[in-house]
Amino acid sequence: MGPFAQDLLMDKVVLVTGGATGLGRAMGEMFLKLGAKLAIAGRREDVLKQAAAEMGAGGGEVLWKSCDVRDPEQIRELAEALEQRFGRIDVLVNNAAGNFISPTERLSPRAVDAVLGIVLHGTFYAALEIGKRWIAAGQPGTMLNIVTTYASSGSGFVAPSAAAKAGVLALTRSLAVEWARYGIRQVAIAPGPFPTEGAWSRLSPTPELERKMLDRIPLKRVGRPEELAHLAAYLISDYAEYLNGEVVTIDGGEWLQGAGQFNGLLDVTDEQWERLAELTRKGK
Ligand code: HXC
Ligand code: NAP
């Protein structure tokens, strides 16, 4: 059992890019459980095929199609396939991404392009292709973009991802205003750390780096994919129809801990506070 009625997304046609793995898959499974018709896309055909078979085993309808979001023609073919199979598309979830940690000065231009191409251009191309179809058909729709907490703050060692996700956030907010008149709504999720294979292998590949990450989170744990999937289900549902242009952070408080000037005082012990209290009271 979950927080929602089992028909929350009944018959909604949802496309999740990068939907065969990690958070995309968790969202797709949740959408199916809540009655949606699902399409997943990514570059690797074998991965998509297997995921679609496993995800659809419960009886839901899953379309899979290989598609590199960096190629607008492949996105056009994907949209065609969805319309042929389901008659329309109701929700686009821009979840496909590429990222890895590296000192920026070690990056080649091709490495920068690899990340910007998937995250910024891929998201924009998908929004353009599907948005134009919705506008031409006079049909409403919802776009959910998966960004990151550092889309707002920037972050060292993932500069291409930070730049690209900041662009996606700006796109979310821009289209929220521009396309609202067509009944097209924009929402975004900014996840903190969720240990998917795709992210962990590229961003937290040693136990030491993982420990460092946990220390940064007030709740002292990483996210569970189903927590993000529940949020996504609500955001694309009819109950969130007045949410437009908003980004919801789901990170256990991580970015706030990094931002608050005195949050380092979490390390101070009770005995140290006794001594500090004497000193600070003297300043009265
Ligand atoms: C330095 C690297 C590199 C690395 C690739 N390159 N990996 N440079 N460090 N770890 C360089 C290559 O040398 C090459 O440049 C250029 O990038 C392109 O590499 P390709 O392997 O040809 O690219 P491609 O096949 O397009 O793969 C894209 C990718 C890859 C982004 C590099 O990692 C990928 O496919 N990722 C998809 C899944 C993913 O990243 N998931 C994580 C999402 S997590 P040269 O000049 O040598 O040719 C996320 C947010 C997490 O986004 C937030 C955490 C809390
Ligand atoms: P993931 O499993 O690696 O997901 C990335 C997906 O994108 C893969 O299915 C991949 O499939 C697909 N993809 C990559 N390049 C593509 C391309 N050119 N065309 C089409 N699809 C492509 O990692 P994840 O952790 O689930 O990440 C999902 C989303 O959450 C991403 O937007 C990521 O930035 C965001 N996020 C994750 C975390 C986290 O901690 N996990 C934190 C913040 C934000 P193929 O390789 O087969 O194409």
Side-chain angles (χ1 to χ4, degrees):
M1 282 311 284
F4 303 124
Q6 293 304 292
D7 63 351
L8 183 75
L9 304 176
M10 192 53 73
D11 292 335
K12 273 195 196 299
V13 179
V14 185
L15 165 60
V16 183
T17 66
T21 66
L23 299 181
R25 175 157 177 172
M27 285 189 280
E29 283 172 352
M30 183 67 67
F31 300 160
L32 276 174
K33 248 206 282 189
L34 297 170
K37 294 173 177 167
L38 183 71
I40 56 174
R43 291 166 301 180
R44 291 165 299 170
E45 210 166 294
D46 49 332
V47 174
L48 286 164
K49 195 172 175 178
Q50 192 183 338
E54 289 166 9
M55 293 164 86
E61 220 179 323
V62 185
L63 168 75
W64 64 271
K65 186 162 170 57
S66 64
C67 169
D68 187 329
V69 294
R70 292 169 300 185
D71 178 358
E73 178 55 24
Q74 290 185 39
I75 296 182
R76 196 189 62 74
E77 287 166 8
L78 173 65
E80 288 286 328
L82 260 113
E83 286 187 348
Q84 258 184 25
R85 170 80 167 267
F86 299 118
R88 61 171 203 284
I89 305 164
D90 295 309
V91 180
L92 164 65
V93 182
N94 279 306
N95 166 80
N99 194 8
F100 50 80
I101 44 170
S102 173
T104 303
E105 67 275 17
R106 291 172 65 105
L107 297 174
S108 67
R110 268 178 50 80
V112 174
D113 288 351
V115 175
L116 284 169
I118 304 168
V119 177
L120 183 55
H121 289 80
T123 299
F124 209 130
Y125 295 156
L128 203 52
E129 176 65 40
I130 288 166
K132 282 180 181 181
R133 283 169 188 262
W134 285 340
I135 292 166
Q139 195 215 308
T142 300
M143 291 185 189
L144 167 61
N145 295 327
I146 308 302
V147 295
T148 58
T149 50
Y150 58 71
S152 305
S153 63
S155 174
F157 305 98
V158 284
S161 171
K165 294 284 193 183
V168 172
L169 186 53
L171 179 68
T172 309
R173 290 171 169 159
S174 304
L175 295 182
V177 174
E178 192 181 340
W179 283 359
R181 59 187 164 161
Y182 301 120
I184 300 172
R185 194 164 69 80
Q186 309 283 326
V187 280
I189 295 178
F194 285 75
T196 65
E197 209 233 306
W200 250 227
S201 62
R202 295 173 175 93
L203 298 158
S204 192
T206 66
E208 207 187 351
L209 286 176
E210 193 172 3
R211 252 196 318 278
K212 259 192 177 171
M213 191 173 285
L214 278 178
D215 277 346
R216 295 174 34 80
I217 308 168
L219 289 175
K220 295 292 170 230
R221 68 167 175 89
V222 291
R224 302 181 190 111
E226 66 274 17
E227 292 175 313
L228 184 138
H230 279 129
L231 173 61
Y234 165 67
L235 288 175
I236 66 167
S237 78
D238 295 342
Y239 293 90
E241 269 184 342
Y242 203 49
L243 267 162
N244 185 24
E246 191 54 63
V247 55
V248 182
T249 298
I250 177 164
D251 73 342
E254 184 192 36
W255 86 264
L256 287 169
Q257 177 167 322
Q261 181 151 28
F262 289 95
N263 288 342
L265 297 179
L266 282 166
D267 292 340
V268 175
T269 62
D270 275 353
E271 296 82 67
Q272 286 170 326
W273 274 121
E274 291 299 330
R275 170 81 186 121
L276 283 169
E278 282 169 28
L279 293 171
T280 53
R281 280 170 205 279
K282 270 188 202 147
K284 197 162 63 167

